[in-house]
Amino acid sequence: PPPPLAEDADFCVAVMLLGSVAFVMMLFYWLHWHDDDIRTAAWSVVSTSICIFTGVLVGMSWNQSFVYFVIGPPAEAGPVKIVLCNVWAAVGWYALLQIVLMFVSGAVGPRPTHLVTTVLNLKCFAVLLGITNGASNLTLWGLVQTLAPHTAAGIMGVFVVCIVSMGTMFKIGDLFRYYVSISDADGAEDEYEKLWDKFAEETENGALSMTLAHLLVQATRFRITGVMPLPAGQVPPGAKPSTEDVYRLVLAGFGYAALIPITDLLLNVPRFPRFKAIVKTVEGNAFAFCLLYSMTWTVGEVINLAAPPAQMLLALGTTFLGMIIIFFLDYLKDMKCTGDDFDREIKALVGPISLLMGFGWKQAFVGSLTTITAKVRLLPTPFQTTGMAFVLVLVVVPAWRLYILPTVMKEMVDQAERSDRKQATSNEVKPVSSTVVTPLLQDQLKNGEDLPPNELMKQNLILQRRNQELESSIRDIRNELAELKQLAAILA
C-alpha cells in the first residue's frame, strides 16, 4: 500500500519547495509595498518575528538540555526536580541579560564612541535575550500550571505566584542596576546607565507579558476543551479539538483584542506606570496566541501536525494572516474618522502580530529539528537539538543585526519625517542656510558697497570663508539631528 500522506517523502519535498518559494515572494511584495506605513510595519514585523522564533527556540531547547544535564532524563527525575532546574535556567538567562546589557550600554567598562551603533547593539541583545528569558519563564510556568490543580483557584494561584516571583526577580535586577549606577565616580545615573535601565525594563515587560499571556491562553484552551495543554502549548496526545473549539478560541482571541482600547481608557495607575503597558501587552499577546493555536488546531484537522508539511503550512498561514491584519489595520488608520490615539493603539498591535508569526515559524523549525534528530542521532536528543538551534542562530542573527535591524531603523526614521511633513503648516520654518546665511551675506555686502575695490575684495573673501564655516556648521547640525532622530526612533 502507498505510505500515508504525511510520510510520503515526495509530498514533503513538494510542499517544502512550494512553501519556500511562496514565502520568499510574499516577503518581496510585502517589504517593498508602495504604501509607506505598510512597508514600515512589514519590516518591523519581520524583524521582531526573527527575534521571537530564534529566541524562543534557543530558550526552550537550552532549558531541555540543562534539565537533561543536571538530573538526567526527565521521565526518571520527577516533576519537582524538573521545576527546580527550570527555575535555575530562568534565573540564569535573566542574570546573563543584565550583564550583557551592562557592558554593551557602556554603564560598566569603556564608553561607546558611536551612540547609534550602541543603541542598535542594545536593541539586538536586549530583544534576543529578553525573548529567550521570556521563553524560559514560559516553559517554567507552563509546567507549573500543568502540575497545579486544574481548578479556578489553582489557575489563579499560578498567575499570582508567577507575577510575584518574576516581579521579585525584576526588583532585584532594578536594585542591582541602581547600585551599579551610583557606585561609579560621578555617583549618579548618566546617559549610558539610563540606556541600560531603559532596555532592561523593556525586556522585563516583554518577558512577563509573554509568560502571562501564555498562561492565560492555556487556561482559556482548558476551559474550551476540558483538557490542559502541555507546558509549551502542544496538544496532549489523544486530544482532538473540534471545529466548534476552533471558533470559540478565535472568538476568545478577538475578545482579548477588544480589551486593549478598554484598558487604555479605563485603567490608570499613576504609581505603577509599567502596569498599564504590561496589561495591554498581555491582552495583545493573548490575542496572538489564540489565533496561533486555533490555526494549529485547524491544520491538525487536515494533516498530521507532527509532519513537517503541516508545520510549514502553519508557518505560511500565520505569515499570510499577519499580512492581512497589517493591511486591515492600515486601512483603518488611513480613515479620516480615526485619530492619533487610535493610530497609537494600531501601532501597539505590531508586537502581537510578530508574536503570531514568530511562534508559527518556531513550531516549524522545532518540527524540522525533531524530525532530523529522530533520523540521525549523534548525541542525546536535547543536546543535539540545542546544538542545531545554536547553529541556526549563528546563521540568522548576524544577518538580522547587520542588514534587517538598520533597515527597520531607517524605515522608522523615514516614517517620523513623513509625519513631520504632514503636520507642517503653511508658515513652516525655512532652511537655516536661507534664513540666516543669505541675509547675513546681503547685509555685509551692502555695508561694503562704498569701500575701495581692494577692501571690497578682501571683504568678499572674508564673507566667503565665513559662509563656508556656517555651511559646515549647518551640515554638522543636520547630521546630529539625523542621528538624534534615529536614536529617538529606536527608543520609541
Side-chain angles (χ1 to χ4, degrees):
L5 188 62
E7 299 178 2
D8 190 341
D10 293 338
F11 174 75
C12 293
V13 172
V15 170
M16 298 295 287
L17 176 61
L18 295 176
S20 301
V21 173
F23 174 69
V24 172
M25 293 300 105
M26 287 165 61
L27 282 184
F28 271 115
Y29 282 118
W30 202 26
L31 297 177
H32 297 84
W33 199 256
H34 59 84
D35 188 284
D36 296 327
D37 293 334
I38 290 180
R39 188 173 62 252
T40 301
W43 277 106
S44 180
V45 168
V46 169
S47 175
T48 310
S49 300
I50 291 174
C51 296
I52 289 175
F53 94 77
T54 52
V56 172
L57 187 63
V58 170
M60 290 185 172
S61 60
W62 174 265
N63 279 23
Q64 293 175 359
S65 296
F66 183 75
V67 170
Y68 188 91
F69 177 78
V70 174
I71 61 177
E76 303 174 5
V80 176
K81 291 183 179 180
I82 296 175
V83 169
L84 292 176
C85 281
N86 278 282
V87 169
W88 282 110
V91 172
W93 279 116
Y94 182 71
L96 179 63
L97 168 70
Q98 297 296 328
I99 294 171
V100 170
L101 294 187
M102 178 176 64
F103 285 102
V104 173
S105 65
V108 174
R111 299 299 194 189
T113 57
H114 196 268
L115 189 58
V116 172
T117 302
T118 301
V119 174
L120 279 173
N121 291 333
L122 277 171
K123 197 169 185 67
C124 174
F125 288 107
V127 172
L128 283 176
L129 291 176
I131 291 173
T132 304
N133 181 38
S136 183
N137 281 281
L138 185 149
T139 303
L140 165 63
W141 294 105
L143 178 61
V144 173
Q145 189 180 46
T146 58
L147 298 175
H150 297 165
T151 60
I155 292 173
M156 184 60 65
V158 173
F159 266 87
V160 173
V161 174
C162 174
I163 294 172
V164 172
S165 300
M166 295 185 69
T168 303
M169 182 170 64
F170 296 161
K171 184 62 177 179
I172 294 173
D174 186 59
L175 291 174
F176 172 71
R177 295 193 299 272
Y178 171 74
Y179 284 116
V180 170
S181 300
I182 65 173
S183 62
D184 54 11
D186 57 9
E189 190 179 40
D190 56 29
E191 63 270 19
Y192 302 101
E193 292 155 353
K194 288 179 181 179
L195 280 175
W196 176 26
D197 189 64
K198 175 180 176 56
F199 279 94
E201 286 189 357
E202 286 182 357
T203 57
E204 291 168 355
N205 293 350
L208 180 59
S209 301
M210 182 188 298
T211 303
L212 293 179
H214 174 72
L215 296 179
L216 181 61
V217 175
Q218 292 282 86
T220 304
R221 294 169 63 188
F222 172 71
R223 181 69 178 83
I224 291 175
T225 63
V227 179
M228 180 63 72
L230 298 181
Q234 306 96 323
V235 178
K240 192 174 180 63
S242 63
T243 304
E244 183 181 353
D245 293 336
V246 174
Y247 294 150
R248 294 170 68 184
L249 187 59
V250 172
L251 185 62
F254 281 100
Y256 291 131
L259 289 175
I260 297 177
I262 297 175
T263 301
D264 188 62
L265 291 174
L266 301 181
L267 186 62
N268 187 18
V269 187
R271 292 185 57 188
F272 303 99
R274 298 171 63 180
F275 179 72
K276 183 175 182 178
I278 291 174
V279 171
K280 290 172 62 177
T281 308
V282 168
E283 293 164 351
N285 290 345
F287 165 66
F289 277 129
C290 286
L291 293 183
L292 173 69
Y293 291 122
S294 63
M295 294 184 68
T296 302
W297 292 352
T298 303
V299 172
E301 292 290 332
V302 180
I303 307 175
N304 179 16
L305 191 58
Q311 290 153 352
M312 171 62 81
L313 182 61
L314 176 64
L316 291 174
T318 55
T319 303
F320 186 67
L321 179 60
M323 292 180 178
I324 293 176
I325 295 175
I326 289 292
F327 279 102
F328 178 70
L329 293 178
D330 182 72
Y331 172 77
L332 295 179
K333 180 176 178 293
D334 292 338
M335 295 177 66
K336 295 182 180 180
C337 58
T338 59
D340 294 336
D341 293 338
F342 184 84
D343 296 344
R344 186 176 62 253
E345 296 301 326
I346 285 179
K347 185 178 179 180
L349 288 175
V350 171
I353 296 171
S354 304
L355 186 76
L356 169 66
M357 295 171 58
F359 268 84
W361 282 99
K362 187 273 298 184
Q363 292 193 19
F365 277 95
V366 167
S368 301
L369 297 180
T370 303
T371 302
I372 293 174
T373 53
K375 301 292 183 180
V376 180
R377 183 171 299 178
L378 304 176
L379 297 171
T381 300
F383 295 159
Q384 186 167 325
T385 303
T386 303
M388 289 190 292
F390 274 99
V391 171
L392 179 65
V393 168
L394 291 176
V395 174
V396 173
V397 172
W400 167 70
R401 166 60 184 86
L402 293 174
Y403 304 109
I404 296 179
L405 192 57
T407 303
V408 173
M409 183 186 70
K410 181 179 180 301
E411 287 289 337
M412 294 172 68
V413 172
D414 292 343
Q415 187 181 41
E417 291 178 348
R418 289 193 297 269
S419 299
D420 292 341
R421 287 196 296 268
K422 288 180 180 179
Q423 295 175 358
T425 58
S426 58
N427 58 344
E428 60 183 352
V429 179
K430 296 181 180 180
V432 179
S433 58
S434 61
T435 58
V436 177
V437 179
T438 302
L440 178 63
L441 289 174
Q442 291 175 349
D443 293 340
Q444 294 289 341
L445 288 173
K446 286 180 180 179
N447 294 334
E449 284 179 354
D450 299 330
L451 294 176
N454 292 338
E455 289 295 325
L456 183 58
M457 185 177 298
K458 186 183 297 184
Q459 287 285 353
N460 286 337
L461 291 175
I462 294 173
L463 291 174
Q464 288 177 8
R465 191 181 304 115
R466 189 176 300 177
N467 184 30
Q468 292 175 356
E469 293 174 355
L470 286 171
E471 291 291 350
S472 177
S473 299
I474 291 169
R475 284 195 298 269
D476 293 339
I477 293 173
R478 286 174 176 169
N479 292 335
E480 291 178 4
L481 288 175
E483 185 169 312
L484 289 174
K485 278 188 176 181
Q486 291 177 346
L487 177 60
I490 295 172
L491 296 179

